[in-house]
Amino acid sequence: MRRLQRHGDIDFVPVGMDGSWEDDADCQILRLSLRPSLLDQVAEDLGRDAAMVDLIPRLQLRDARIEAIGWAIKADLEADTPSDPLYIDHLANALAVRLIETADGGRQHSERSGAAKMSTRQLRMLTDFIETNLDRKLHLADLATVAGVSMTRLKTLFRNSTGTPVHQYVIRRRIEYARALIATTTMPASEVALAVGFAHQSHMASTMRRILGQTPGEIARQASEIRPKLQRTA
């Protein structure tokens, strides 16, 4: 069968199936793969029987949410610095949710408990875990285990409880910790970056500039100017 592929077309091929095609001209294709276990887990999180989710092949699917996720992943792949693993976990989970929704004819699943939030104890345990482990790569599965909820539910509960998506919260905490270290210690910026969980110094600097509007060097200079004044006052 001959068909004209348009920009933004999405082809969904379930695991175990294969297909082939020929292109009449040069083109770019973003190919994404999800583990079947993730789809099964997300189906369970949404209250569905994974065995009953009918993921059929779809060609030239048009879906704004899937397309937006695809563009976000493409942008991350092409970025000079890597994103936090939590961000990629977030996108993968969102993609799995949407694929299951398309199997239901596009019906979106709402949270079974509405605007539910984490308990005070859950939130404290989770934020304490994040603070203690800022120097390592954190994954959505790790945080969900600490909170005792599923990955899909964690995303909603955390956002409802703090007003911030969990991956953005972690990035903000890394930045605040880095700023404190730069302002109060003589640690080299390269060591600070690793101590707060960034891949390298330039990764920390670009994220800090984006969120705070300042570079590590500017923060260090401001701190050095304030320190003598405090000493004279004392």
Side-chain angles (χ1 to χ4, degrees):
M1 180 177 67
R2 188 177 183 84
R3 60 190 175 93
L4 179 63
Q5 196 83 8
R6 296 175 299 161
H7 182 72
D9 279 349
I10 302 164
D11 293 340
F12 173 65
V13 182
V15 65
M17 303 190 69
D18 201 0
S20 63
W21 63 87
E22 292 183 4
D23 298 314
D24 291 336
D26 291 340
C27 66
Q28 289 186 327
I29 297 174
L30 177 63
R31 180 172 180 173
L32 305 175
S33 299
L34 291 177
R35 299 188 313 274
S37 59
L38 176 60
L39 288 166
D40 291 345
Q41 180 62 57
V42 169
E44 182 180 335
D45 296 346
L46 295 173
R48 298 289 309 279
D49 180 352
M52 299 300 292
V53 176
D54 191 15
L55 294 174
I56 61 174
R58 302 282 296 275
L59 301 180
Q60 292 185 291
L61 171 67
R62 306 294 295 189
D63 187 285
R65 291 179 63 188
I66 294 178
E67 185 174 356
I69 294 169
W71 281 117
I73 293 174
K74 180 177 183 293
D76 188 72
L77 291 172
E78 295 174 348
D80 293 333
T81 55
S83 292
D84 194 284
L86 273 175
Y87 179 59
I88 302 303
D89 290 347
H90 172 83
L91 292 176
N93 188 276
L95 180 56
V97 169
R98 189 55 184 158
L99 288 175
I100 291 171
E101 288 174 350
T102 60
D104 283 349
R107 178 171 62 87
Q108 296 186 17
H109 296 265
S110 59
E111 274 291 320
R112 283 169 287 184
S113 52
K117 297 182 179 181
M118 288 182 165
S119 68
T120 301
R121 179 175 177 274
Q122 274 182 312
L123 188 58
R124 184 176 64 252
M125 288 176 58
L126 187 54
T127 54
D128 285 350
F129 178 83
I130 290 171
E131 292 297 320
T132 305
N133 294 278
L134 283 175
D135 61 334
R136 57 175 283 222
K137 291 183 178 180
L138 296 172
H139 291 274
L140 201 57
D142 300 328
L143 303 187
T145 298
V146 172
V149 297
S150 70
M151 291 187 294
T152 303
R153 190 156 173 74
L154 171 69
K155 288 166 46 187
T156 300
L157 291 177
F158 192 90
R159 186 175 61 249
N160 290 346
S161 301
T162 66
T164 305
V166 63
H167 68 279
Q168 291 184 12
Y169 175 87
V170 171
I171 291 173
R172 172 64 68 169
R173 291 308 306 144
R174 293 192 200 281
I175 286 297
E176 293 296 341
Y177 186 24
R179 176 162 63 178
L181 288 177
I182 292 170
T184 60
T185 73
T186 58
M187 287 178 63
S190 58
E191 293 183 14
V192 171
L194 296 179
V196 301
F198 286 107
H200 42 68
Q201 182 176 339
S202 62
H203 183 200
M204 178 182 71
S206 61
T207 306
M208 190 170 281
R209 188 183 302 109
R210 174 171 56 84
I211 293 178
L212 300 180
Q214 290 182 300
T215 65
E218 290 169 342
I219 293 172
R221 282 192 294 273
Q222 288 178 355
S224 65
E225 291 171 358
I226 293 173
R227 212 170 287 126
K229 295 178 183 179
L230 294 176
Q231 290 173 351
R232 285 196 296 271
T233 303

